[in-house]
Amino acid sequence: MHPIPGTRALRTLEAAGRHLNFTRAADELGLTPAAVSYQIKEIEDQLGLVLFTRTSRSIRPTKAGELVLEASAEALDVLGRAVARARRMERGASQLRVSADAQFAAKWLMRRVDSFREAHPDIELRFDVSSDLRDFEQDDVDVAVRFGAGKYAGLAAHRLFDDVLGPVCSPTLLRSGPPIREPRDLLNYTLAHIEWSRQGITWPNWPMWMAAAGIDDFDDSRTVVFGTSSELLQAALEGSAVVLAESAMVAGDLAEGRLVRPLELSLRLAPEFAYFLVYPQGAADDPRIAAFREWILAEAAKTQA
């Protein structure tokens, strides 16, 4: 998850070889293209080898470059996995690192985690909040919550809960605007949803919701599309729009009055997709993982109910 000290040159070389473009490699590494080009030239000078042929528009590896690039990628991978194992060994058996995306962590997990700490005071929870998929062999992570189809090679996956999406908004927006008594009244407001599709399945959106509500002349040209649920919920909380949101993710905001449901009609998520607790199959009997698994599945059952 963090660059390993002493590997800057290898990481620059590997990124340049993977992208075959100094600019894209620079963007990934947080450098300038000129700095990447200089580092590559420095490596070539030290090795006495030409690793890339360069034109005004592209780069490509030489035969020697292909060998060195392959070895560089393998070296970084082996070193990264060794460091991850060493970190897990160093922090001992009392700590459990949990990875989850920002929305799930903030809107669901952190609201319930005190009950785990009360039941298991001997286990120290640490959180890796990120939307990036983690490699259990290379990243310092023990368990993760992922949204997907639950098919992950080498990983145990436990479905947490199914969910539905429905309209939510700020009570301030509802008080200041026209009343919402039926689905067509929503046309008086800015509507927002997530744009997401995978494996031929589309995340529920306003055209789908309006069709379910019997409105077949809905014009979605004025809807606002967000790329993440966090951005979408922020728009709702700020009173900018009526949004389609997951029930489990807004339950706390609804209970505490920050959001309200103007209408009850909801759409169910595709049954192929859900939140899953995942971890390496070989770690299933780890007491820390077993305790967390038992706890989170019980909490998920409450959410499902």
Side-chain angles (χ1 to χ4, degrees):
M1 289 183 287
H2 302 287
I4 299 171
T7 62
R8 184 180 67 173
L10 277 180
R11 289 187 290 111
T12 301
L13 184 61
E14 188 277 334
R18 178 160 37 85
H19 290 292
L20 293 181
N21 183 286
F22 287 164
T23 298
R24 288 198 291 271
D27 289 341
E28 177 181 314
L29 298 169
L31 301 172
T32 65
V36 171
S37 179
Y38 177 81
Q39 286 188 27
I40 297 298
K41 185 64 169 62
E42 191 175 41
I43 293 170
E44 290 178 321
D45 290 343
Q46 291 174 355
L47 294 177
L49 296 169
V50 177
L51 302 179
F52 294 96
T53 58
R54 301 159 173 83
T55 69
S56 60
R57 295 187 177 182
S58 65
I59 62 171
R60 60 183 178 85
T62 62
K63 291 293 184 183
E66 289 176 354
L67 290 173
V68 174
L69 289 169
E70 182 179 358
S72 298
E74 290 177 356
L76 287 170
D77 182 66
V78 170
L79 186 57
R81 294 177 192 279
V83 169
R85 289 196 297 272
R87 283 174 174 157
R88 285 194 292 270
M89 181 176 64
E90 184 69 19
R91 59 181 164 85
S94 63
Q95 192 181 107
L96 184 73
R97 283 188 63 87
V98 182
S99 181
D101 67 54
Q103 176 180 265
F104 187 89
K107 296 298 185 181
W108 194 89
L109 184 58
M110 299 307 294
R111 291 174 177 269
R112 295 164 171 79
V113 77
D114 283 347
S115 66
F116 177 85
R117 290 183 168 130
E118 291 173 3
H120 302 281
D122 55 322
I123 300 176
E124 179 188 359
L125 291 182
R126 294 290 181 90
F127 297 97
D128 167 60
V129 179
S130 173
S131 298
D132 296 335
L133 294 182
R134 295 308 191 194
D135 182 334
F136 287 98
E137 291 187 20
Q138 188 160 348
D139 296 323
D140 188 16
V141 167
D142 297 304
V143 299
V145 176
R146 293 178 178 171
F147 184 85
K151 298 176 182 178
Y152 307 105
L155 301 182
H158 302 271
R159 192 183 188 98
L160 295 182
F161 47 77
D162 299 315
D163 209 352
V164 296
L165 283 84
V168 298
C169 65
S170 163
T172 302
L173 179 68
L174 202 58
R175 287 193 297 268
S176 62
I180 300 176
R181 300 188 179 93
E182 59 181 43
R184 193 170 289 278
D185 293 333
L186 289 171
L187 303 181
N188 296 314
Y189 290 84
T190 299
L191 305 179
H193 61 250
I194 292 293
E195 185 172 71
W196 183 92
S197 63
R198 188 176 297 172
Q199 299 176 18
I201 296 172
T202 300
W203 189 268
N205 54 36
W206 279 113
M208 296 163 66
W209 190 92
M210 290 293 178
I215 299 177
D216 55 11
D217 59 346
F218 176 63
D219 177 9
D220 69 343
S221 63
R222 294 174 58 193
T223 58
V224 179
V225 175
F226 286 93
T228 69
S229 296
S230 297
E231 295 170 330
L232 183 77
L233 290 182
Q234 189 60 36
L237 290 166
E238 291 174 353
S240 302
V242 180
V243 310
L244 278 181
E246 299 163 80
S247 294
M249 297 301 110
V250 297
D253 292 310
L254 291 170
E256 294 162 13
R258 288 188 293 273
L259 293 175
V260 294
R261 289 192 183 282
L263 295 169
E264 291 300 321
L265 176 64
S266 296
L267 299 179
R268 185 166 296 280
L269 285 173
E272 295 89 342
F273 292 94
Y275 286 100
F276 288 85
L277 172 70
V278 298
Y279 51 84
Q281 291 175 344
D285 295 330
D286 184 315
R288 300 166 304 153
I289 292 177
F292 189 80
R293 178 180 64 230
E294 179 181 348
W295 170 80
I296 199 171
L297 290 177
E299 291 296 322
K302 296 176 186 176
T303 296
Q304 189 70 69

